[in-house]
Amino acid sequence: MNGLQKNLFELLASIVRNDSVGNVRTEDSVSVLNLAYQYKVITAIYNYIADDRAKAFFTQSLIKSNIINVNQQAEMKRIFDYAEENNIFLLMLKGFCIGKYYPSKGFKEMSDIDLFYKIQQKESVDRMMRELGYTFSERKENHETWAIKERNVFVELHFSIADVSEDFLSQILERKKNFENCSNVFIMSNEDLYVYLLIHFCHHLRNGTFSFRQLFDIFVIKEKVPLDFERIDEIAVRENIKLFGDNILKAFDSIFNGVYHEETAEFAEYLSGNISFGNNAIAKLAYDSNGKIGFAMKRLFPRKEKILIEYPDYNDKKLLLPVGYVKRIVHIMKDKREEAFYQYRIMKKIDSKMIAGGKEQKEFLKKYGINNI
């Protein structure tokens, strides 16, 4: 880690721990703010930088982030009020249930609102979103996205949780707690939330799509929330994520406390953005696809389970499944041209060096327990 990163990480740790933090004066104010902006934690440090001229470069971004945050909070209240009135079960994931532990409002930046609902209530949930003015955006393997695009508000409604076993999900639902005074909106227990965040972060690391902010979320929970680590270890062993959890704690020690651990030094550098395998996400796709043709075939003809998720009507008409593939291709070319061209540009970049980088990345992550789930 370079000196600039150490300055930022030390400042973040001090703020989270409520240490005495005065206004930070540094010749590198612009650089520190720019790094925080890249890591998506600029709202955390902005008010602690004394250099007003440096802050002026980022004021517009901060205003935009705060507007989005205010819009999201207003929408959360509307959704929760509707759920309360209509007896709809909702469990908060990430986002606001983490933000409540942050030192101040607006401290946490978010890209969307994540909620889990019971699939038996899908019809009621769909009606809720339509009546609240949302437009259906897309359906993926574990969730659907609804949006009010003019307010830059996106809601991911999860009907299952990626990489979380059915046994753990049932325990999460048993141990859930009411959110504030709600009777139908819930949050996870502290230990379940911590393990879930580990699983979620592991999922993004495996896909090459992780961000420093996701790591910082886990650090905040560890520092601000009373946790029973014996209980966490029990869950982590069952969910096959114990090794990863242990390595994350050592990485925290290196990143936020400046303590060197030889066995996880490379891992801490990777999480800090100092080690990569080309473009991590594209390298992973290149290796998994084994070349351009494989990449194209996987995009055009994914496994049948994905088609059945996107077009659930075919669950009872599996002989017509080929029609689902055709509809998907037509939908992509008609309504998702920008995404299709983006995927085409990725395919053009795939070469033997990128495939080798993806293989090296996978082996690197496996060493730290990231491919164990």
Side-chain angles (χ1 to χ4, degrees), residues 246-247 250 254 260-268 367-368:
D246 291 344
N247 286 326
K250 290 176 184 175
S254 299
Y260 181 79
H261 293 280
E262 185 176 355
E263 66 272 29
T264 54
E266 281 190 314
F267 187 43
K367 181 166 65 171
Y368 300 104

Side-chain angles (χ1 to χ4, degrees), residues 100-326:
K100 65 180 284 192
Y101 298 113
Y102 273 58
S104 62
K105 279 190 175 182
F107 191 86
K108 175 174 170 55
E109 296 180 50
M110 293 189 305
S111 55
D112 51 36
I113 298 167
D114 291 271
L115 301 167
F116 172 83
Y117 72 95
K118 293 181 178 179
I119 193 65
Q120 299 92 329
Q121 291 189 305
K122 176 172 171 45
E123 189 176 325
S124 298
V125 170
D126 288 353
R127 186 185 309 114
M128 172 179 73
M129 299 311 287
R130 286 193 298 269
E131 290 185 5
L132 290 176
Y134 283 81
T135 301
F136 177 79
S137 179
E138 63 179 343
R139 181 183 175 95
K140 291 192 174 181
E141 190 169 353
N142 300 292
H143 68 268
E144 296 174 337
T145 302
W146 294 74
I148 300 180
K149 292 183 179 179
E150 59 270 21
R151 299 191 69 196
N152 207 13
V153 175
F154 297 86
V155 180
E156 288 189 1
L157 292 169
H158 298 251
F159 42 85
S160 66
I161 306 177
D163 295 329
V164 169
S165 69
E166 289 187 13
D167 180 56
F168 183 34
L169 178 57
S170 67
Q171 290 177 26
I172 287 172
L173 297 179
E174 283 178 16
R175 294 190 287 259
K176 68 186 183 303
K177 301 181 291 185
N178 293 81
F179 174 67
E180 296 182 350
N181 296 320
C182 296
S183 56
N184 291 301
V185 182
F186 301 90
I187 58 173
M188 298 182 192
S189 71
N190 295 344
E191 289 73 26
D192 288 342
L193 175 62
Y194 185 84
V195 175
Y196 163 66
L197 290 175
L198 286 177
I199 292 172
H200 178 72
F201 189 44
C202 192
H203 174 83
H204 281 281
L205 282 165
R206 196 166 54 248
N207 290 337
T209 56
F210 74 95
S211 70
F212 179 83
R213 189 178 65 189
Q214 294 165 339
L215 176 73
F216 188 58
D217 283 346
I218 303 172
F219 175 71
V220 169
I221 296 300
K222 174 186 171 293
E223 293 294 320
K224 303 295 288 186
V225 179
L227 295 170
D228 179 348
F229 271 92
E230 286 189 9
R231 178 66 185 145
I232 285 171
D233 286 346
E234 289 175 10
I235 302 170
V237 168
R238 286 202 304 271
E239 293 302 297
N240 206 18
I241 203 168
K242 177 71 165 63
L243 175 61
F244 176 66
D246 291 344
N247 286 326
I248 282 289
L249 290 177
K250 290 176 184 175
F252 284 160
D253 222 14
S254 299
I255 294 169
F256 297 108
N257 299 330
V259 178
Y260 181 79
H261 293 280
E262 185 176 355
E263 66 272 29
T264 54
E266 281 190 314
F267 187 43
E269 291 292 331
Y270 180 75
L271 297 176
S272 302
N274 298 326
I275 294 177
S276 68
F277 302 87
N279 180 305
N280 291 325
I282 296 177
K284 194 259 183 193
L285 291 171
Y287 176 68
D288 287 348
S289 303
N290 197 29
K292 294 181 180 180
I293 294 176
F295 180 86
M297 293 300 288
K298 281 192 171 187
R299 294 297 166 284
L300 291 173
F301 303 104
R303 53 193 177 86
K304 66 179 182 180
E305 289 81 6
K306 185 174 178 62
I307 299 297
L308 293 174
I309 287 168
E310 292 183 9
Y311 302 100
D313 290 347
Y314 289 110
N315 277 291
D316 299 324
K317 306 171 186 175
K318 291 184 180 176
L319 289 176
L320 295 177
L321 203 57
V323 178
Y325 281 96
V326 173

Side-chain angles (χ1 to χ4, degrees), residues 54-67:
K55 290 163 68 174
F57 288 104
F58 301 93
T59 301
Q60 203 64 35
S61 297
L62 195 74
I63 291 172
K64 181 180 178 182
S65 175
N66 286 338
I67 290 172

